[in-house]
Amino acid sequence: MTTLQDLRRTIGHFADRTRKRMQLRRELEQLEALGSLDAVLADAGLVRSQIEPLITGCAGSRDLLDKMLARLGIDAAQLPVESLRDMTWTCTTCPDKRKCRKWLAGIEEADFHAFCPNAEQLDHAMAAAAPAGCSYRAAPTGGPNDDAFHPSADELRRLRAEASRRETRALLDSARLL
C-alpha cells in the first residue's frame, strides 16, 4: 500500500470516528431535550458522568471488541450481557486502541495480555468456550509472564478443532455401533 493510500485510509477513519461522535452527541442532546436521557442511561447501565468518556471513546470501540472476540474464537452471543457490557465499557475507555488495532491487523507481535485491559475477562470467556477435553485454563493473574498457559488465538483455534474432531469421531464410532 502506498503512503497516499495509507493517508487516505487514516483520514477516512478519522472522519468516520468524528462523524460517530457527533451523531452520538446529537442523539444524547435529543434525549436530554425530551427528558429521557437519565432513563436511557439507566437502561444501558450508565450515569451522566460517563457521557464524555463514552463520546470520546465510542468510535470503533465495539468494532474492536467484536474483532478481538472473533480472533480469539469467542462467540459474543454466548457471553453474559453484563460481561459484554463491562468489556465494551473497558474497551471504550481503553487508552491502547492503537495497539489493539495493530494486534488485530497482525502488525503487533505482543500477546494481547500485554496491552488489553480486558485480558482477564477474555481469558475467562475462552476458558468457558473451550470444548470438553481441552486443557486450557485462564491465567490467575492474566499476565503473559506468570508461567500460566496463555495460548495464542491460533493455538486456541487448533485446540478447539482437535477437540471437535475427537468428539466427531466418538459420535461417529458410537453411531456405527448402534
Side-chain angles (χ1 to χ4, degrees):
M1 195 175 277
T2 67
T3 305
L4 182 58
Q5 289 172 327
D6 289 338
L7 180 61
R8 285 182 180 157
R9 188 185 64 194
T10 301
I11 291 171
H13 286 292
F14 178 76
D16 186 46
R17 288 191 299 268
T18 302
R19 208 174 7 261
K20 286 180 180 179
R21 285 185 185 108
M22 290 173 46
Q23 179 184 359
L24 179 59
R25 191 175 297 279
R26 262 193 315 273
E27 289 174 7
L28 291 170
E29 288 170 356
Q30 289 172 351
L31 288 170
E32 175 68 27
L34 295 170
S36 304
L37 181 60
D38 290 319
V40 170
L41 289 173
D43 287 345
L46 299 171
V47 293
R48 282 180 181 258
S49 63
Q50 293 175 306
I51 290 175
E52 279 309 311
L54 176 69
I55 291 171
T56 302
C58 73
S61 295
R62 184 55 198 258
D63 292 336
L64 286 175
L65 179 59
D66 288 342
K67 289 176 184 176
M68 176 72 80
L69 293 171
R71 179 158 178 197
L72 296 174
I74 301 169
D75 182 5
Q78 301 300 318
L79 294 173
V81 174
E82 298 82 16
S83 295
L84 192 57
R85 183 177 56 219
D86 290 345
M87 284 195 292
T88 301
W89 180 254
T90 301
C91 193
T92 299
T93 59
C94 177
D96 285 328
K97 287 186 180 81
R98 182 172 290 168
K99 285 184 182 178
C100 184
R101 281 191 293 273
K102 286 181 178 181
W103 185 81
L104 289 168
I107 299 168
E108 182 73 31
E109 293 292 324
D111 183 39
F112 73 93
H113 292 91
F115 63 85
C116 183
N118 276 324
E120 187 174 339
Q121 291 86 348
L122 292 167
D123 281 340
H124 290 294
M126 284 190 295
C134 181
S135 62
Y136 174 76
R137 59 185 168 84
T141 62
N145 298 320
D146 60 4
D147 295 329
F149 178 57
H150 295 283
S152 68
D154 292 333
E155 289 171 331
L156 187 59
R157 278 192 285 274
R158 184 184 52 75
L159 289 169
R160 287 185 178 149
E162 287 174 9
S164 179
R165 282 192 294 273
R166 281 193 304 272
E167 290 172 6
T168 303
R169 281 188 206 118
L171 286 172
L172 289 172
D173 289 342
S174 67
R176 287 183 198 138
L177 295 174
L178 297 177

